[in-house]
Amino acid sequence: MSAGRSALRMGPAELVQAAAMARRFYLEGKSKIQIAEEFGVSRFKVARVLETALERDLVRIEIRVPAELDAERSDALRARYGLRHAVVVESPADAAEDAPDPENLGAVAADLLGELVNEGDVLGLAWGRSTIHMAAALHRLPPCTVVQLTGVYDAGTAERGSVEAVRRAAQVSGGDAHPIYAPMLLPDPATAAALRSQTGIARAFEYFDKVTVAAVSIGSWEPGISTVHDMLSDEERAHYASLGVAAEMSAHLFDAEGRRVGRDLGERCITVEADRLRRIPEVVAIAGGLRKAAAIGAVLRSGLVTSLVTDTAAADYLLTESAPPLRPALERADPDD
């Protein structure tokens, strides 16, 4: 608290009393009734003094968040899409339009999970570079079970991919880990079904209905930005592109309106089903960058996520795009219904 020029026009007794009351209220957390009793005045008098202290610049209230967080955009994004939580971080000043997700998204998402996960929860992690970065940045989690929600991009990268992310999260929390040692995409439905029946994978799938908090990544339908896109043949990519696919999340494909397309692909994938994902109370999507902005909007319209960690570049697009979501994300409504 500091006295500005206008506050100096108050008399010395008024100034001292106002400063004392303001200190009790703003710094010591005392109620107006308690302050009134201490100074022998009415609580209405206390309210007037506090109001005058603000008007005359005796008290200055500043709302500060870390420089990397954009509180105004975060709140606007939350309101526009009906999200439970929206956290927007500053994009790098030199970021190009085709730049990858800012690395600090993972660290901010890790801190958010530290807030959202409670003791005894089941945390689900889907494959994605953003979720892998998030897991690497974790430094606190209450005791919880951690389960992998999808297979891996390449079985040969499991040790540095989602399997390791699950292990890392379980290590931080001190809970059990349930990884999935299998590729995300298989050549045909029969092979995928056979893998799902294997003991370790089946055990992980049994936890899907128990997941209370999940972290997922989002990709747009472009090379290097969508895991599924890169795993398909040219013919298959062209087929799904003809269906209007605009975004991918956990091997589920979406058009620009958030409707699921190419559902047959799911029969070949090791992943949490969309209906199960929709029933998870808290689903946090981690994605940023201008190149993913339209895809993020599509997934937000799907009703599958409740919260978002993104950057200012994507947030500006989402806040100005001409077609706002028809239903808030918290309604968890399926656009196809």
Side-chain angles (χ1 to χ4, degrees):
M1 292 181 294
S2 61
R5 292 182 183 177
S6 55
L8 296 177
R9 292 198 293 267
M10 299 173 66
E14 292 179 301
L15 188 61
V16 170
Q17 184 185 66
M21 288 184 176
R23 179 173 296 278
R24 303 292 194 279
F25 185 74
Y26 291 108
L27 300 184
E28 299 176 11
K30 291 187 176 181
S31 69
K32 294 174 183 176
I33 293 177
Q34 290 174 314
I35 298 171
E37 292 176 350
E38 178 182 349
F39 286 88
V41 298
S42 71
R43 61 185 177 88
F44 302 105
K45 166 73 170 179
V46 173
R48 286 196 300 272
V49 170
L50 293 175
E51 184 178 349
T52 300
L54 284 171
E55 290 175 350
R56 299 192 178 184
D57 204 24
L58 177 63
V59 174
R60 296 176 183 174
I61 299 176
E62 294 182 341
I63 300 173
R64 292 183 177 180
V65 295
E68 67 176 353
L69 299 182
D70 192 309
E72 185 175 350
R73 284 184 175 92
S74 297
D75 188 55
L77 198 60
R78 178 200 57 75
R80 181 174 173 83
Y81 285 88
L83 294 162
R84 183 172 292 124
H85 303 284
V87 182
V88 178
V89 305
E90 289 288 343
S91 301
D94 58 349
E97 184 172 325
D98 60 348
D101 292 6
E103 292 185 4
N104 55 352
L105 289 187
V108 173
D111 288 341
L112 179 61
L113 280 192
E115 292 183 61
L116 299 180
V117 176
N118 296 307
E119 183 173 352
D121 276 350
V122 177
L123 171 63
L125 299 181
W127 196 98
R129 295 177 182 86
S130 296
T131 52
I132 291 171
H133 291 158
M134 180 272 299
L138 282 171
H139 58 84
R140 65 181 178 94
L141 273 180
C144 65
T145 299
V146 186
V147 60
Q148 193 170 323
L149 296 179
T150 66
V152 297
Y153 171 66
D154 180 347
T157 65
E159 289 304 310
R160 59 181 183 274
S162 50
V163 170
E164 182 57 32
V166 169
R167 288 175 174 169
R168 166 64 181 168
Q171 180 184 34
V172 172
S173 73
D176 294 332
H178 295 276
I180 294 178
Y181 295 97
M184 180 187 292
L185 180 66
L186 282 304
D188 54 72
T191 304
L195 276 177
R196 291 190 202 102
S197 66
Q198 290 187 358
T199 303
I201 297 175
R203 185 178 299 116
F205 267 65
E206 289 173 359
Y207 274 91
F208 286 0
D209 287 328
K210 303 174 184 177
V211 174
T212 50
V213 180
V216 300
S217 296
I218 296 173
S220 54
W221 196 245
E222 298 176 52
I225 311 179
S226 164
T227 300
V228 173
H229 181 283
D230 293 344
M231 298 172 75
L232 296 173
S233 67
D234 290 341
E235 183 179 353
E236 289 171 323
R237 290 171 191 153
H239 165 67
Y240 291 116
S242 71
L243 300 179
V245 60
E248 177 256 320
M249 179 184 69
S250 303
H252 300 295
L253 309 182
F254 307 88
D255 67 12
E257 300 304 318
R259 295 184 293 262
R260 289 180 59 212
V261 296
R263 299 190 183 209
D264 60 303
L265 185 67
E267 298 176 4
R268 296 169 49 194
C269 293
I270 303 297
T271 186
V272 60
E273 301 94 326
D275 290 341
R276 278 177 158 175
L277 196 60
R278 198 181 303 279
R279 292 195 294 269
I280 296 175
E282 182 75 78
V283 179
V284 181
I286 310 163
L290 191 57
R291 66 178 185 172
K292 284 188 178 182
I296 296 169
V299 172
L300 291 181
R301 293 185 181 89
S302 74
L304 290 174
V305 304
T306 60
S307 298
L308 175 68
V309 178
T310 190
D311 70 334
T312 52
D316 285 344
Y317 174 91
L318 294 168
L319 290 170
T320 57
E321 62 174 341
S322 59
L326 298 177
R327 302 183 180 95
L330 283 182
E331 292 182 11
R332 312 305 293 277
D334 189 337
D336 288 329
D337 292 343

